[in-house]
Amino acid sequence: MPKPPNARVQDKRAQEARAQNARSQDRRAQDGRAQDIRAKDTRAKIVQAASKLFYAEGIGRVSMDAVAETAGVTKRTLYYHFDSKDDLVAAYLDARDQPNLTLMAAWFAAAEGGADAKVAAIFAALAKSARHPKWKGCGFLRTTAELAALPGHPAVKIGARHKAAFATWLAGELESAGFDAPTALARQILLLLDGAFSASLVHRDASWFEEAGAAAGALVRAHPRAKSAVS
C-alpha cells in the first residue's frame, strides 16, 4: 500500500536532514583536522625558533618574548602551546634527540673499515661540524650545565636519556662486531666524545675531536673480542 503524500514528504525531509547532518559532521571533522595541523605547525615553528636561540645564546639568556618574536607568534600563542619556559627548553632538547642520534648512526654506517674506523668517523664528522662559525658545542651538555642545580628538570632528564641512548646504540653495534663487554666500551667512547665536546668548545679548536677520535679508535682496536667471536 503506497504511503500518503504527507508521509512521503516527511521521509524525504528526514533523509535530507540526515544528509545535512552527515555533511556538517564531515565539515567539523575536516575543520578539526585542519586546526590540528595548524596547531602542530605553530608548535613546530616555536620549537624551531627556540632551538635557534637556545643553542646560539644559552637557555638563561633567551626570554620567552624573544622566542615569540623570532617565531612570529604572540606570547599568548606561545603559552597556549607551552605552559612554561621549562617545558619549551625540554621540547628544544627533545627535538634534537632523534635527529642527532640518527646522524651519528649514519656517520658510523657510512664509514669504511672496521669498528675502530667507524667510531673514529663519528669524531671526524663532529670535528668538521665544530669548524663551522656557528657551532656552539653539544646542546645537551650545555643545557644540563646551565641546569646543574635542577637535577629533576625535564630537560636534564632528556639529556641523560639522549646520552644513554647513544651508549646503548653503540654497544649494540660493538656487540654485533664481536666485542667483549660492549656496554663498557661504548661508555668509554662516550666519555671521549663528551670530553671532546667540552675541550673543543673551551679551546675553540676542533682538533680535540680528531685527537679523541684517534684515542677512541685505539681503544676499540685494543679491546678484547668475545670468546664466541674469536673461536
Side-chain angles (χ1 to χ4, degrees), residues 144-202:
T144 299
E146 286 196 65
L147 298 171
L150 300 170
H153 193 286
V156 174
K157 294 180 179 179
I158 291 171
R161 184 190 72 196
H162 173 79
K163 296 297 183 179
F166 174 83
T168 299
W169 161 76
L170 184 55
E173 295 290 345
L174 295 170
E175 183 177 23
S176 296
F179 287 93
D180 188 31
T183 298
L185 179 56
R187 289 184 175 185
Q188 291 163 14
I189 292 168
L190 179 56
L191 287 170
L192 286 168
L193 188 65
D194 284 345
F197 269 119
S198 299
S200 294
L201 185 61
V202 168

Side-chain angles (χ1 to χ4, degrees), residues 14-177:
Q15 291 174 359
E16 291 174 349
R18 286 194 293 270
Q20 178 63 32
N21 185 54
R23 288 193 293 270
S24 297
Q25 289 180 345
D26 287 343
R27 281 196 297 271
R28 285 196 294 270
Q30 291 173 0
D31 290 344
R33 287 192 292 270
Q35 289 176 356
D36 288 342
I37 292 171
R38 286 195 296 271
K40 289 179 181 178
D41 288 345
T42 300
R43 180 183 174 89
K45 184 166 64 172
I46 292 170
V47 172
Q48 184 178 21
S51 296
K52 179 180 178 180
L53 293 172
F54 288 157
Y55 184 74
E57 302 178 28
I59 62 173
R61 297 181 61 187
V62 177
S63 67
M64 294 292 267
D65 286 322
V67 174
E69 182 179 355
T70 303
V73 301
T74 64
K75 282 189 70 176
R76 181 177 180 179
T77 298
L78 177 58
Y79 280 107
Y80 172 81
H81 290 279
F82 299 96
D83 292 336
S84 65
K85 185 177 178 180
D86 289 339
D87 289 339
L88 184 55
V89 171
Y92 149 63
L93 285 191
D94 196 43
R96 297 175 72 90
D97 178 36
Q98 288 304 313
N100 283 16
L101 292 172
T102 299
L103 185 58
M104 287 188 280
W107 291 333
F108 183 94
E112 296 182 356
D116 59 331
K118 288 179 175 293
V119 166
I122 296 175
F123 289 80
L126 287 170
K128 184 177 180 180
S129 297
R131 290 189 169 92
H132 192 283
K134 292 186 178 180
W135 186 82
K136 295 294 181 67
C138 175
F140 296 94
L141 293 178
R142 288 177 55 212
T143 301
T144 299
E146 286 196 65
L147 298 171
L150 300 170
H153 193 286
V156 174
K157 294 180 179 179
I158 291 171
R161 184 190 72 196
H162 173 79
K163 296 297 183 179
F166 174 83
T168 299
W169 161 76
L170 184 55
E173 295 290 345
L174 295 170
E175 183 177 23
S176 296

